[in-house]
């Protein structure tokens, strides 16, 4: 907490000092890295399968985006966006190409974009059938 002192001076009353306690201004931002479920018994995520990605935020009123970049590329592509529910933004991520991918959540804060810590995963070709995904 931060203390703010305001002095009020009246002609007949003299000076009265009032101390107010105010909370520091919090910045709205993503507060955790993106969490993904394990891709099952296989070590890679599979093209065409849907995965639920989650990230904690401290501003539930501002849109959060999930961005993906390819290994060796600085280009970040928005692959999903959502309004958080309480303190969690939930996305559905469906990888479209094989290779190493870095995922981050991003939320605008005070006129700038704030990114979560990155996570890097491997995406493979596979077979999708009846809701099941198998990397090959």
């Amino acid at each position: 907490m931060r203390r703010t002192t305001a002095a009020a001076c009246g002609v007949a009353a003299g000076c009265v000092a009032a101390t107010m306690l105010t909370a520091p201004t919090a910045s709205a931002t993503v507060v955790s890295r993106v969490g993904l479920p394990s891709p099952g018994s296989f070590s890679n995520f599979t093209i065409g399968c849907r995965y639920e990605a989650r990230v904690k935020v401290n501003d539930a009123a501002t849109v959060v985006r999930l961005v993906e970049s390819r290994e060796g590329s600085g280009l970040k592509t928005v692959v999903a966006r959502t309004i958080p529910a309480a303190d969690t933004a939930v996305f559905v991520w469906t990888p479209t190409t094989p290779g190493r991918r870095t995922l981050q959540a991003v939320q605008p804060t005070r006129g700038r974009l704030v990114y979560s810590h990155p996570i890097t995963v491997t995406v493979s070709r596979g077979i999708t059938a009846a809701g099941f995904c198998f990397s090959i």
Side-chain angles (χ1 to χ4, degrees):
M1 297 207 126
R2 126 183 117 193
R3 290 186 185 269
T4 308
T5 304
C9 294
V11 176
C15 288
V16 176
T19 301
M20 301 178 298
L21 294 177
T22 59
T25 305
S27 64
T29 188
V30 291
V31 294
S32 72
R33 70 181 64 238
V34 174
L36 282 171
S38 169
S41 61
F42 304 99
S43 60
N44 296 337
F45 291 88
T46 305
I47 294 173
C49 292
R50 298 167 51 104
Y51 300 97
E52 188 176 275
R54 294 175 171 262
V55 66
K56 294 287 187 186
V57 298
N58 65 7
D59 176 8
T62 304
V63 172
V64 182
R65 291 171 179 82
L66 182 66
V67 295
E68 174 183 293
S69 59
R70 294 177 186 218
E71 187 172 50
S73 172
L75 179 65
K76 294 178 180 175
T77 304
V78 175
V79 293
R81 64 190 74 201
T82 190
I83 296 285
D87 67 346
T88 304
V90 179
F91 308 94
V92 174
W93 175 60
T94 306
T96 58
T97 56
R100 302 275 292 163
R101 298 289 176 272
T102 298
L103 298 172
Q104 289 178 281
V106 61
Q107 189 175 37
T109 301
R110 295 183 181 166
R112 64 185 183 96
L113 296 177
V114 176
Y115 289 84
S116 68
H117 290 287
I119 65 164
T120 301
V121 298
T122 301
V123 177
S124 298
R125 297 189 185 283
I127 299 168
T128 59
F132 294 100
C133 298
F134 303 97
S135 291
I136 51 174

